[in-house]
Amino acid sequence: MTAKNIVDLYISFFKDKKHKQIPNASLVPENDPTTLFTSSGMQPLVPYLLGEEHPQGKRLVNVQNCFRAQDIDEIGDNRHTTFFRMLGNWSLGGYFKKEQLPWMYEFLTKDLGLPKEKLYITVFDGYKEIQKDNESVKIWEEIFKENNIDPKGRIFYYGADKNWWSRAGTPDKMPVNEPGGPSSEVFFDFQTPHDTRFGKKCHLNCDCGRYIEICNSVFMEYKKSTDDSLKPLSKKNVDFGGGLERLLAAVENKQDIFQTSLFNPIIKAIEIQTAKKYTTHAKEMRIIADHFISAAFMIANGVTPSNKEQGYILRRLIRRASDNLGSDNIYSILDSIIGTYKETDPQLIENYEFIKNTLYEELQKYTKLLIDVTQFIKSRYKKTGDELKGQIEISARDAFEIYTTHGLSPTQIKSLGLLFNEQEFAEKMKEHQNISRAGANKKFAGGLADHSEKTIMGHTATHLLHQAIRDVLGSKIHQTGSNITTERLRFDFNYDKKLTDEQLRRVEDIVNEKIKENLPVHFEIMPLTEAKNLGAIGLFDEKYQDNVKVYFIGNKKPYSAEFCGGPHVDFTTKLKQVRIIKQENIGHGQRRLYAMVG
Ligand code: SER
């Protein structure tokens, strides 16, 4: 059974249960300032989990490409990857625990044929006002009994740190309006011996890797309220996520996911390229494979290496992979990655040249940077080239300066033969991380807390702006991207010239007129063909959608009709006013506008 077979089985299992398949969203989320990448299948569905109506109904299924930057440092073990594919099914206020858990067991044991005696379960142990999840325990006990398995010793309670799921983590970290809920995870027992370095006794969440979590059913029924308590959502949802790479590892009974049929060809290519063996260099090879896979997918999604946001993460991945590879010749590895994913992700082939050239240029820049940094140290310490071939002691301050200005990690700095006081460096690093973390938290809380107000205003303003730009520049213009934060909105569109001041003023005037007219905003769910006939604008993924949700601004003869999930303000005067503050050329025949709302 291949990874592709698992995807097909899963989708058809849930289609049989009346689920509609929804598209795999972009790896770089739109209109979500809270995060750089799509890191779970539920992320594009947040408005619907919070209560918006989904055009495809209450039962959804898909496979979503995900990237988790927080896992970068864990790469190198047997089960973590930064890029992975998540099988997801959702109930938006429809079925709940008593359907989800038996279906999951049926899929794992019948469709995938996993041995029943190797499956173990965790459930939520309660947190403050939220009770422990005895209901799921009862359902699991019934399931096991019906399948002639003794439930004793199979089901374990864990606290909110393991069995509560929200994008922010445990309930105390959830910002206002963030949805979350208790989860029940299934673990697969690879029956490998316990490694006591990870604790005296093995248990399901033990890091020795004997048990691996293969899927997670989240009962998303709460949201964080302004008084910091958890309040029930208007509807109870199911948010299921199953890691495809780990499910394949269970199917193939390979405790090391890098040895499954999915990763094996890539590891083989790395062995050939490096003339080393995986058995003795597993950690490096896992990092190389994982980081180049993520890099290829990011580039295919339009990310290019830079010093900020997504581009910075991509840069870090490429550099770390190349450090571990010890070479910039990555083409056979890239070919094996594309070969492995071609069936499920043709976008890699379609963007092959772009991926290859972007990697090539970045690796060239990196090589040059290493030379420049060495020269910088040489001039500061007045050392000769010969001396630099050995080792040279520099101050932790200089090492830190290299880190902050050039983005070289301490390991990379050391690999240049530059020595420094590592403890002093670590202290500076900690200080720096605390500052960045405070900024990141502010950003996260700001974006989501604002979900109910500023972001929603920005969202409606984007629709007005989209239509107004078409009024001024013509109907060939369409949105190619957007991003909304508390401070401003950003809007990208296909136009290869600079807008004149007069054009910008006209766009802004139209938007503000529509705001003053106090037009009502409402949505309708309708067949895709009807929406198209109405002239509604937006990206239609025809492969999956038969019904779409269209937001109208204005009644009778609406000013704007746009395909969108929502939410929006109810009347345009809520936006007060919109001011365009900047325009930019972002290349590929596209322009970007920034605007403030309110
Ligand atoms: N959102 C949950 C997860 O990411 C389940 O889909 O694990």
Coordinates of all heavy atoms in Angstrom, one line a residue, residues 39-43 49 66 68 84 86-90 165-167 183 185 213 215-218 220 238-243, ligand 1:
S39 N -0.5 25.0 9.0 CA 0.2 23.9 9.7 C -0.8 22.8 10.2 O -0.4 21.9 10.9 CB 0.9 24.5 11.0 OG -0.1 25.1 11.8
S40 N -2.0 23.0 9.8 CA -3.0 21.9 10.0 C -4.2 22.0 9.1 O -4.4 23.1 8.6 CB -3.5 21.8 11.5 OG -4.2 23.0 11.7
G41 N -4.9 20.9 8.9 CA -6.0 21.0 7.9 C -7.1 21.9 8.4 O -7.9 22.5 7.6
M42 N -7.2 22.2 9.7 CA -8.3 23.0 10.2 C -8.1 24.5 10.0 O -9.0 25.3 10.1 CB -8.6 22.7 11.7 CG -7.5 23.0 12.7 SD -7.2 24.7 13.0 CE -8.4 25.1 14.2
Q43 N -6.8 24.8 9.8 CA -6.5 26.3 9.7 C -7.4 27.1 8.7 O -7.9 28.1 9.1 CB -5.0 26.4 9.4 CG -4.4 27.6 10.0 CD -2.9 27.6 9.9 OE1 -2.3 26.7 10.5 NE2 -2.4 28.4 9.0
L49 N -15.4 26.7 11.8 CA -15.5 26.1 13.1 C -16.0 27.1 14.2 O -16.6 26.7 15.2 CB -14.0 25.7 13.5 CG -13.5 24.5 12.7 CD1 -12.0 24.4 12.9 CD2 -14.2 23.2 13.1
C66 N 1.0 20.5 5.0 CA 1.2 21.3 6.2 C 2.7 21.5 6.4 O 3.6 20.7 6.0 CB 0.7 20.6 7.4 SG -1.0 20.3 7.4
R68 N 5.3 22.8 9.7 CA 5.3 23.2 11.1 C 6.7 23.7 11.5 O 7.6 22.8 11.7 CB 4.9 22.1 12.1 CG 3.4 21.9 12.0 CD 2.8 21.1 13.1 NE 1.4 21.0 12.9 CZ 0.6 20.2 13.6 NH1 1.1 19.3 14.5 NH2 -0.7 20.2 13.4
F84 N 4.5 17.8 6.1 CA 3.7 16.6 6.1 C 2.4 16.8 5.5 O 1.9 17.9 5.3 CB 3.6 16.0 7.5 CG 2.9 16.9 8.5 CD1 1.5 16.6 8.8 CD2 3.5 18.0 9.1 CE1 0.8 17.4 9.7 CE2 2.8 18.8 10.0 CZ 1.5 18.5 10.2
M86 N -1.7 16.0 5.9 CA -2.6 15.7 7.0 C -4.0 15.3 6.3 O -4.6 16.0 5.6 CB -2.8 16.9 7.9 CG -3.6 16.5 9.1 SD -3.9 17.9 10.2 CE -2.5 18.0 11.1
L87 N -4.4 14.0 6.7 CA -5.7 13.6 6.3 C -6.7 14.3 7.2 O -6.5 14.2 8.5 CB -5.9 12.1 6.3 CG -4.8 11.3 5.6 CD1 -5.1 9.8 5.8 CD2 -4.8 11.6 4.1
G88 N -7.8 14.9 6.7 CA -8.7 15.6 7.7 C -10.1 15.3 7.3 O -10.5 15.3 6.2
N89 N -10.9 15.1 8.4 CA -12.4 15.1 8.2 C -13.0 16.0 9.3 O -12.4 16.1 10.4 CB -13.0 13.7 8.1 CG -12.9 13.0 9.4 OD1 -11.9 12.3 9.7 ND2 -13.9 13.1 10.3
W90 N -14.0 16.7 8.9 CA -14.7 17.7 9.8 C -16.2 17.5 9.9 O -16.8 17.2 8.8 CB -14.4 19.1 9.4 CG -12.9 19.4 9.5 CD1 -12.3 19.9 10.6 CD2 -11.9 19.2 8.5 NE1 -10.9 20.0 10.4 CE2 -10.7 19.6 9.1 CE3 -11.9 18.8 7.2 CZ2 -9.5 19.5 8.4 CZ3 -10.7 18.7 6.5 CH2 -9.5 19.1 7.1
W165 N -6.5 20.4 22.0 CA -5.9 20.9 20.8 C -6.5 22.3 20.5 O -7.7 22.5 20.5 CB -6.1 20.0 19.6 CG -5.0 20.2 18.6 CD1 -3.8 19.6 18.5 CD2 -5.1 21.2 17.5 NE1 -3.1 20.2 17.4 CE2 -3.9 21.1 16.8 CE3 -6.0 22.1 17.1 CZ2 -3.6 21.9 15.7 CZ3 -5.8 22.9 16.0 CH2 -4.5 22.8 15.3
S166 N -5.6 23.2 20.2 CA -6.0 24.5 19.6 C -4.7 24.9 18.9 O -3.7 24.4 19.1 CB -6.4 25.5 20.7 OG -5.2 26.1 21.2
R167 N -4.9 25.9 18.0 CA -3.7 26.4 17.3 C -2.7 27.0 18.2 O -1.5 27.0 17.9 CB -4.1 27.4 16.2 CG -4.9 26.8 15.1 CD -5.2 27.8 14.0 NE -6.0 28.9 14.6 CZ -6.2 30.0 14.0 NH1 -5.7 30.3 12.8 NH2 -7.0 30.9 14.5
S183 N -9.0 16.3 22.9 CA -8.7 15.4 21.8 C -8.6 13.9 22.2 O -8.3 13.7 23.4 CB -7.5 15.8 21.0 OG -6.4 15.6 21.8
E185 N -6.3 10.7 20.9 CA -5.3 10.3 19.9 C -5.2 8.8 19.8 O -5.4 8.1 20.8 CB -4.0 10.9 20.3 CG -4.0 12.4 20.3 CD -2.7 13.1 20.5 OE1 -1.8 12.5 21.3 OE2 -2.5 14.2 20.0
E213 N 2.1 8.5 17.7 CA 0.7 9.0 17.5 C 0.4 9.0 16.0 O 1.2 9.6 15.2 CB 0.6 10.5 18.0 CG -0.8 11.1 17.9 CD -0.7 12.5 17.4 OE1 0.2 13.2 17.8 OE2 -1.6 12.9 16.6
C215 N -3.0 9.5 14.7 CA -4.1 10.4 14.3 C -4.8 11.0 15.6 O -4.6 10.5 16.7 CB -5.1 9.7 13.4 SG -5.9 8.3 14.2
N216 N -5.6 12.0 15.3 CA -6.0 12.8 16.4 C -7.5 13.3 16.1 O -7.7 14.0 15.1 CB -5.1 14.0 16.5 CG -5.4 14.9 17.7 OD1 -6.1 14.6 18.6 ND2 -4.8 16.1 17.6
S217 N -8.4 13.0 17.0 CA -9.8 13.5 16.8 C -10.0 14.6 17.8 O -10.0 14.3 19.0 CB -10.8 12.4 17.0 OG -10.7 11.4 16.1
V218 N -10.2 15.8 17.3 CA -10.4 16.9 18.3 C -11.9 17.2 18.3 O -12.5 17.4 17.3 CB -9.6 18.2 17.8 CG1 -9.8 19.3 18.8 CG2 -8.1 17.9 17.6
M220 N -13.9 19.9 18.9 CA -13.8 21.3 19.0 C -15.1 21.9 19.4 O -15.9 22.2 18.5 CB -13.3 21.8 17.7 CG -12.5 23.1 17.8 SD -11.4 23.3 16.4 CE -9.9 22.8 17.1
V238 N -16.2 18.4 15.0 CA -15.1 17.4 15.0 C -14.0 17.9 14.1 O -14.3 18.3 12.9 CB -15.6 16.0 14.5 CG1 -14.4 15.0 14.4 CG2 -16.6 15.4 15.5
D239 N -12.8 17.8 14.5 CA -11.6 18.2 13.7 C -10.7 17.0 13.8 O -10.0 16.9 14.8 CB -11.0 19.5 14.2 CG -9.6 19.7 13.7 OD1 -9.3 19.3 12.6 OD2 -8.8 20.3 14.5
F240 N -10.6 16.2 12.7 CA -9.7 15.1 12.7 C -8.5 15.3 11.9 O -8.6 15.9 10.8 CB -10.5 13.8 12.2 CG -9.5 12.7 12.0 CD1 -9.2 11.9 13.0 CD2 -9.0 12.5 10.7 CE1 -8.2 10.8 12.8 CE2 -8.0 11.4 10.5 CZ -7.7 10.6 11.6
G241 N -7.3 14.9 12.4 CA -6.1 15.0 11.6 C -5.3 13.8 11.7 O -5.1 13.3 12.8
G242 N -4.9 13.2 10.6 CA -4.1 12.0 10.6 C -2.8 12.3 9.7 O -3.0 12.7 8.6
G243 N -1.7 12.1 10.3 CA -0.4 12.3 9.5 C -0.2 11.2 8.5 O 0.0 10.0 8.9
Ligands
SER1 N1 -6.2 20.0 14.3 C1 -5.7 18.8 14.8 C2 -4.2 18.5 14.6 O1 -3.6 19.3 13.9 C3 -6.5 17.7 14.2 O2 -6.7 17.9 12.9 O3 -3.7 17.6 15.1

